[in-house]
Amino acid sequence: MRIGVVAPARPIDRALAARLQAIAADYAGIELVVSPQCFLSEGHFAGPDAARAEAFIEMANDPSIDAVWCARGGYGSNRILAAVQNRLSAAAGAKTYLGYSDFGFVLGAMYARRLGKCVHAPMPGDLTRDGGEAAVRRTLGWLTGDRQGVEPGLGARPAAAFNLAILSALIGTPWLPDLADHVLLIEDVSEPLYRIDRMLGQLAHATQLKGLAGVRLGRVSDVQPNDPPWGESLAVMLPRWCGELGVPFLGMADIGHDAANKVVPFGLG
């Protein structure tokens, strides 16, 4: 299996790529193809928009590549969607796309067109976290048939997982997939709770999200302080907004911006 690594948002460095290659060497049949674009830098981004788009298109359209793995999150994947979507070949529909956080823009857009297999999964950039090697091995294990890293609460209904800020930004765009009858798993990081509440309110009244089978909550970490302190817990916020959306709150999910983040295949795993 050949896995192409691209960076649609922020870059990684060559030392991290070398660590990744060393880990991948433990998996028989895995070959990593790290795009040189992953090491570009232009301000916040892993190179200009055009370079990031071209790297993704090249990997997606290459019939010798079996999976496209996002190097890391950050911000920027949304800026390449329009440039990418009309240039994908039939080969792009025959592979797996893996990542989370900002890469949710790409997963959403691909899933909206039912192109390939979209998977919320740990990324190479997680190697910078404590316990990050285990997270990376979770993705490599899933790609080689090990399902121990799959989020344990997935059931008979199709599922999808998104960072809440990314999902709310997809609402009203053609990149938001039809999630009717899906269980939606959400998580977030580095937001104050009033922003979480505002995004949940947007989800609750988004016409594109009618028909969900339910919502599960992953970890909301590194919560930023409110002044004055926010007086409502997530345990109260989620059921209230789910009530307005008209779907059940189905409890907690084992996903988040951390090394424990589990794998969630979109659709039926």
Side-chain angles (χ1 to χ4, degrees), residues 60-150:
N61 288 347
D62 184 343
S64 75
I65 297 293
D66 301 294
V68 177
W69 198 7
C70 178
R72 64 168 295 179
Y75 170 72
S77 298
N78 60 315
R79 291 167 57 120
I80 72 169
L81 293 182
V84 162
Q85 290 300 307
N86 291 328
R87 295 180 56 195
L88 297 177
S89 70
K95 60 194 60 173
T96 301
Y97 299 87
L98 307 108
Y100 72 104
S101 188
D102 184 76
F103 196 63
F105 282 117
V106 175
L107 295 177
M110 299 296 283
Y111 196 57
R113 296 176 61 185
R114 296 302 192 261
L115 287 175
K117 180 69 175 177
C118 296
V119 186
H120 164 106
M123 300 178 288
D126 286 317
L127 288 173
T128 62
R129 303 183 189 277
D130 289 341
E133 180 175 332
V136 166
R137 288 185 180 278
R138 200 171 297 127
T139 298
L140 290 169
W142 186 87
L143 283 166
T144 52
D146 181 356
R147 296 299 181 259
Q148 294 184 68
V150 171

Side-chain angles (χ1 to χ4, degrees), residues 144-165:
T144 52
D146 181 356
R147 296 299 181 259
Q148 294 184 68
V150 171
E151 205 284 329
L154 300 183
R157 289 188 183 273
F162 286 96
N163 172 266
L164 179 58

Side-chain angles (χ1 to χ4, degrees), residues 20-242:
L20 182 66
Q21 291 281 13
I23 294 168
D26 292 339
Y27 295 82
I30 289 286
E31 178 188 356
L32 287 184
V33 182
V34 180
S35 171
Q37 173 269 322
C38 292
F39 312 124
L40 298 180
S41 179
E42 183 170 284
H44 176 91
F45 305 108
D49 292 350
R52 301 196 320 279
E54 288 299 324
F56 182 85
I57 291 165
E58 181 180 353
M59 289 293 189
N61 288 347
D62 184 343
S64 75
I65 297 293
D66 301 294
V68 177
W69 198 7
C70 178
R72 64 168 295 179
Y75 170 72
S77 298
N78 60 315
R79 291 167 57 120
I80 72 169
L81 293 182
V84 162
Q85 290 300 307
N86 291 328
R87 295 180 56 195
L88 297 177
S89 70
K95 60 194 60 173
T96 301
Y97 299 87
L98 307 108
Y100 72 104
S101 188
D102 184 76
F103 196 63
F105 282 117
V106 175
L107 295 177
M110 299 296 283
Y111 196 57
R113 296 176 61 185
R114 296 302 192 261
L115 287 175
K117 180 69 175 177
C118 296
V119 186
H120 164 106
M123 300 178 288
D126 286 317
L127 288 173
T128 62
R129 303 183 189 277
D130 289 341
E133 180 175 332
V136 166
R137 288 185 180 278
R138 200 171 297 127
T139 298
L140 290 169
W142 186 87
L143 283 166
T144 52
D146 181 356
R147 296 299 181 259
Q148 294 184 68
V150 171
E151 205 284 329
L154 300 183
R157 289 188 183 273
F162 286 96
N163 172 266
L164 179 58
I166 303 306
L167 181 61
S168 63
L170 285 168
I171 292 171
T173 75
W175 317 125
L176 181 67
D178 179 4
L179 296 177
D181 200 39
H182 285 60
V183 174
L184 174 63
L185 287 67
I186 54 174
E187 52 82 23
D188 217 312
V189 65
S190 301
E191 298 280 4
L193 286 177
Y194 83 87
R195 291 186 188 171
I196 298 293
D197 191 66
R198 183 167 62 198
M199 290 186 284
L200 289 171
Q202 183 182 12
L203 263 63
H205 296 280
T207 56
Q208 287 175 289
L209 290 177
K210 300 303 180 186
L212 284 174
V215 176
R216 295 175 61 206
L217 176 65
R219 288 175 287 282
V220 176
S221 56
D222 188 32
V223 174
Q224 300 299 298
N226 277 75
D227 185 15
W230 185 255
E232 195 173 45
S233 71
L234 285 163
V236 173
M237 292 157 61
L238 260 294
R240 173 167 53 79
W241 286 121
C242 284

Side-chain angles (χ1 to χ4, degrees), residues 228-263:
W230 185 255
E232 195 173 45
S233 71
L234 285 163
V236 173
M237 292 157 61
L238 260 294
R240 173 167 53 79
W241 286 121
C242 284
E244 293 200 18
L245 180 58
V247 304
F249 173 55
L250 299 175
M252 307 307 291
D254 194 5
I255 62 170
H257 275 64
D258 53 44
N261 185 30
K262 298 299 191 295
V263 174

